[in-house]
Amino acid sequence: MSLESLTTYIVNRLPELWLRTGEHIMLTGFSTGTAILIGIPLGIIIFRNTWLRAPVMAVIGILQTIPSLAMLVFLLALLQKIGALPALIALTLYALLPIVRNTLTGLQGVSPQVIEAATGIGMTKYQRLKLVRIPLAASVIIAGIRTAAVVGVGIATLSAFIGAGGLGQFINRGLALYDTRLILLGAVPTALLALIIDFSIGAFEWGFRPERKKGKKGSVKTLIRLLALMMPLLLIMTAGIFSYFTRPLSGIQTEGVSKISTRTIRIATKNFTEQLILGEIMAQLIEARTDLFVERYFNLGGTMICHNALVHGEIDLYAEYIGTGLTVILKQPVISDPEEALSQVREAYKKRFNARWLKPFGFNNTYAITVRTADAKSYGWTRISDIQKAAPRLRAGFTAEFTERPDGYPGLRQIYGLRFGEIRDLDPAIMYEAVSNGEVDVICAFVTDGRIAAYNLKLLEDDRQFFPPYHAAPVIRGEILEEHQKLRDVLALLEGLLDNATMQSLNFKVDGKGYSPAQVAGAFLKSQGLL
C-alpha cells in the first residue's frame, strides 16, 4: 500500500478515529479513577489492619489472573447488559492490584525515624498518616496509578468485544475482515495513547513532588508545574469533547433522549464478514424506508452475546441462522427440513423470548468441512466420511464456537467418528488463510464465503446429513415489532433476495476486494432498486 493511499485512508477515517480515541480515554480514565477511589483507601485500611492484608491481596491478585475476555463475558452474564458498564467494572477490577499494592508499599516504606520524629512532636496516629506517611508515599502511589492506567489502555481494546466502543472496535473489525489497515488503525493509536497517558501521569507526579520554593512567585517553573498537575484532567476533558462532538458521525443519532428511546432501532451483528454485510443491509434499508434512526452494535463477540443482548433489551434486531437458533439457543436436536426447523424456532422464540423470526433472506450458510483442493484430489476425498481414517494425522482449524457447539465438532465427532490429531481455535478471518498456507489441513468453512473459491478449497459432502439448515433471517424483539409494525414490511423486502451465490459474491467483495461492508450493502440495495 502506498503512503498516499494510506494517508487518504486515515483521513477518511479520522472522524471515527477521534470518536473511538475519546471513548478509549473515557473508559480508561473512568475505570482508573474509580480504582483510585477504591484502591487508595483500601491500601490504607490494610496498612493499618495487618490481619486484612493477606486475604485482601489474595482476592485482588486472583482477580488479576482471570483472563480479560473471561472477565468480560462473566460480567456480561451477571449484569445482563452489553456496553460500557461491564467493561468499566472489569477495567476497574484489573486496575486495583497495582494501586492497592503500591499504596501499601509506599506507606510501609516511610522511614521509622521520620515517624518517630513526628510522634515526638505530638502528632496523633491520624496526623502522622495524613501529614507524613501519605505525602512521603505519594510518589510510590502515583507510580501504581501510572501502571494501572497504562495497562488499562491495553485491556480496554477488548471492550469492543461486548459493544463498549473504543479503539478496540477497529481491531475487532480488522480481525473480522482480515484487514491489516483497520488493525493498525486501532493498534497504533492505542500504543500512542498508552505513551501519552504514561507521560501525563509522570508529569503529574513531577508537578506534585514537593520541593523548596525558589525564585519569584509566578515564575515560569511554577506555571510549568501547574500545567503538569493538570495534564491528566486535560486529557480526559479532551476525550470528552471528542466523544461528544464526533458521536453523530458514528451512526448514533443525538436528537434528544425521548426521540432516541422511541425512534431508534439498535441492530447488532456477530464478528464475521457476512454478519456485517447483513447488518448493514438491514440498517440502510430501515434508514431509507422509514423515519427511524439506526444505532449499530456491530462485531459483538458471538451468538450468545447477541442473543442475550436481544432477550434483555440491549439490542432490537440481528440476523441469526435457523440451525444456530435450533441447536445452540434452544438446545434441540437437528432437523434437516428447513421449513420444519424454521417453524420450531419461530414458535419457541415467540413463547420463550418474545422474539420474532421474520422471513429468511434466502441463502443457506451451512457449515462445510473443507480441505485444500490439491489434497482432496491426491487422497480422493469427496465426502466427510472419506477423511475418517486420515483424521488422526490431520490438523483442524475451527472457530471457537464450532469447537464447542453441538452442531459443530462434538456432534461431528459423534456422527462421523472423526478424531483429529490437533485442533486449533481460529478466528473466522484467518481460518481460510491458515488452511491455504498449510498451517492446518481441515477447516469448518461457511458455504457462502467467497474465500472458498479464492483459496482454491474443496467442500466435502455432508454424506450423513449432520449439519442442520442455516438459512439466515432477521430476529427482532416482539415489543419493537409491535411498536414499529412497518419494520415487518420493510424487512420483508429482503425475503429470498440473497441466494448462496449472491451472498458468496458479496462476502468476496469485502474479503477479497477490500470494500467495506457498508459499501457492499449499499451497492447491493441500489442494484435491487431498494435504495
Side-chain angles (χ1 to χ4, degrees), residues 148-168:
V150 172
V151 170
V153 172
I155 297 176
T157 57
L158 298 174
S159 300
F161 182 80
I162 57 170
L167 290 166

Side-chain angles (χ1 to χ4, degrees), residues 161-212:
F161 182 80
I162 57 170
L167 290 166
Q169 196 146 318
F170 290 121
I171 298 173
N172 215 6
R173 286 184 211 161
L175 290 172
L177 301 173
Y178 204 59
D179 188 332
T180 306
R181 296 176 302 175
L182 277 172
I183 295 172
L184 290 175
L185 196 62
V188 172
T190 299
L192 292 174
L193 186 58
L195 292 173
I196 292 170
I197 288 176
D198 183 63
F199 173 78
S200 298
I201 299 176
F204 174 84
E205 193 274 331
W206 173 80
F208 186 79
R209 193 181 304 156
E211 66 172 16
R212 289 180 180 272

Side-chain angles (χ1 to χ4, degrees), residues 3-17:
L3 180 61
E4 183 179 354
S5 63
L6 181 60
T7 302
T8 303
Y9 181 81
I10 294 172
V11 169
N12 291 337
R13 294 275 185 169
L14 207 53
E16 189 181 4
L17 179 60

Side-chain angles (χ1 to χ4, degrees), residues 431-457:
M431 188 170 58
Y432 298 90
E433 188 84 17
V435 70
S436 177
N437 292 338
E439 296 172 87
V440 295
D441 305 303
V442 180
I443 63 170
C444 57
F446 310 105
V447 297
T448 56
D449 201 304
R451 288 169 290 191
I452 294 171
Y455 288 117
N456 194 25
L457 302 178

